[in-house]
């Protein structure tokens, strides 16, 4: 089928992208900022790891709760649609007709569609869920898996540009290496992200790297400013 | 219409929720963690503000780029659908029929729908975009507005629980006040977020507050552990 060309990335890849986008950027930028104010790698590492732990939990658990909420929402809407189809079938049929009226189909045809669809209640409800409410049934274990993927991606992304501070006690010296590693990782990540989402790869890579550079530069500037007082 | 009960939060509220969820959690948890390792509010404030700046830029610019990508994606798919409707109308008609076959409509009715829909190309393409590909047209200025809203929400959320460290030089003392303020804000935020998204409000408030407490506790633990070495 020619339509398989329509690229759509999987949920796992989406979660890795979500976690790693922020994971590669924020701890890196925080470390850079702190290096502008204190020259002790020990403090930078402590703050960096605290940030990574906090960020992983906030994003991971956030992803988990969002997934649970999506599931609850789907179930309550599904229940409501079944009730409505049972209690006010004529109203629901009108809603089916309205959907097709919007696409310019004639009224007799709208009526025919609504009548035929009403024969199978499960499929009718499925239609209303998808096309009236725009809701797809979420996977049952999606929330847990999504939480773990986002949290882990954030942590991995965060550790890499922080690593020079583990080995070099002068934060100012480590900063140089961290910038090289961090921006390189962001560039590669931006390239791969654009590739899987079917976007132009080089401009994608540059955009992601610039975001990281801006965040690190701004964090460095603000920390330097406060440190001077 | 009874269907207006189906609650759907606006894009702005969604962006505020995205920015504030992480903004209220991560800088608060980082500050708590750092307080476990160094007792100087000056360093906590420097790190906290560096984090807020980095996080706002990463999330805001991230939101902006995601919005732009969404727009580019929509436009390229729209162009492709118009080309397909022009070049291979019979294939596209088959796709319309397949959509309705899934909902149990009879073949003559599928054919009739496909034929009627093919009369108006704009509406036909609109139908394929929405119901085959699940794509809605994004607002033209959505990306910029979304970036500003997410970034600002992150910054506001971040500043509030950090404020005690501005006034109290002992980070250990400030930590107590920060926890009270931070958890209270998370609780209120969780309540309001659940309210606008139509979820149970008290359990929503508790979930959000627990996420923040876990993130802060874990950051505190890891910083204490490293600080001891």
């Amino acid at each position: 089928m020619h339509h398989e060309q329509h690229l759509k990335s999987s949920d796992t890849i989406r979660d890795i992208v979500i976690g790693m986008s922020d994971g590669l950027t924020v701890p890196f930028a925080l470390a850079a900022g702190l290096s502008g104010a204190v020259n002790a790698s020990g403090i930078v590492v402590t703050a960096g790891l605290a940030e990574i732990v906090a960020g992983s939990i906030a994003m991971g658990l956030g992803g988990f709760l969002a997934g649970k909420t999506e599931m609850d929402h789907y179930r309550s809407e599904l229940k409501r649609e079944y009730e409505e189809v049972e209690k006010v079938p004529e109203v629901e049929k009108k809603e089916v007709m309205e959907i097709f009226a919007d696409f310019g189909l004639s009224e007799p045809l709208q009526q025919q569609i609504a009548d035929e669809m009403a024969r199978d209640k499960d499929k009718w409800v499925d239609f209303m869920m998808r096309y009236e409410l725009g809701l797809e049934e979420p996977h049952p274990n999606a929330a847990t898996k999504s939480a773990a993927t986002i949290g882990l991606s954030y942590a991995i992304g965060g550790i890499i540009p922080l690593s020079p501070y583990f080995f070099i006690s002068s934060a100012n010296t480590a900063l140089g290496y961290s910038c090289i590693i961090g921006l390189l990782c962001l560039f590669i990540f931006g390239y791969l992200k654009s590739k899987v989402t079917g976007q132009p790869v080089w401009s994608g890579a540059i955009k992601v790297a610039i975001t990281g550079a801006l965040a690190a530069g701004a964090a460095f500037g603000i920390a330097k400013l406060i440190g001077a007082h």
Side-chain angles (χ1 to χ4, degrees), chain A:
Chain A
M1 275 281 296
H2 72 292
H3 256 285
E4 287 180 13
Q5 291 170 356
H6 289 292
L7 244 160
K8 219 185 157 184
S9 57
S10 80
D11 286 351
T12 306
I13 288 174
R14 187 205 58 192
D15 289 339
I16 292 173
V17 167
I18 290 172
M20 214 161 255
S21 294
D22 286 356
L24 277 171
T25 310
V26 184
F28 160 57
L30 167 67
L34 217 45
S35 302
V38 292
N39 194 17
S41 284
I43 290 174
V44 175
V45 167
T46 305
L49 290 180
E51 210 284 340
I52 290 171
V53 167
S56 301
I57 292 176
M59 289 198 81
L61 211 53
F64 176 76
L65 295 175
K68 282 273 174 232
T69 302
E70 198 185 332
M71 185 56 109
D72 291 347
H73 182 60
Y74 183 84
R75 286 195 182 133
S76 77
E77 293 294 328
L78 190 69
K79 193 165 154 267
R80 188 203 297 260
E81 282 298 337
Y82 269 107
E83 283 166 10
E84 287 177 347
V85 156
E86 207 64 53
K87 281 185 207 153
V88 284
E90 292 310 315
V91 177
E92 292 298 300
K93 274 192 186 178
K94 272 259 159 4
E95 289 179 358
V96 172
M97 291 176 69
E98 277 164 20
I99 290 173
F100 293 105
D102 286 345
F103 292 107
L105 300 193
S106 65
E107 228 184 289
L109 189 53
Q110 293 167 29
Q111 186 69 56
Q112 220 179 321
I113 296 169
D115 289 340
E116 264 204 33
M117 204 167 276
R119 283 186 213 151
D120 185 333
K121 267 176 195 157
D122 292 333
K123 285 182 176 167
W124 189 11
V125 166
D126 188 29
F127 179 83
M128 298 306 279
M129 290 297 286
R130 268 196 231 190
Y131 295 157
E132 189 206 357
L133 303 175
L135 294 173
E136 298 252 4
E137 186 170 9
H139 279 283
N141 296 320
T144 314
K145 196 171 158 261
S146 174
T149 310
I150 292 176
L152 201 67
S153 304
Y154 189 92
I156 292 170
I159 287 283
I160 302 168
L162 202 65
S163 56
Y165 299 96
F166 296 142
F167 306 110
I168 303 164
S169 63
S170 159
N172 284 346
T173 312
L175 173 62
Y177 293 99
S178 179
C179 284
I180 295 168
I181 296 171
L183 293 178
L184 195 68
C185 286
L186 284 165
F187 192 84
I188 295 168
F189 169 72
Y191 180 94
L192 295 175
K193 181 181 104 169
S194 306
K195 202 166 182 84
V196 295
T197 53
Q199 300 300 314
V201 288
W202 295 112
S203 73
I206 290 165
K207 274 183 207 164
V208 169
I210 286 175
T211 305
L214 279 178
F220 187 87
I222 194 104
K224 199 104 193 164
L225 206 73
I226 306 162
H229 286 291

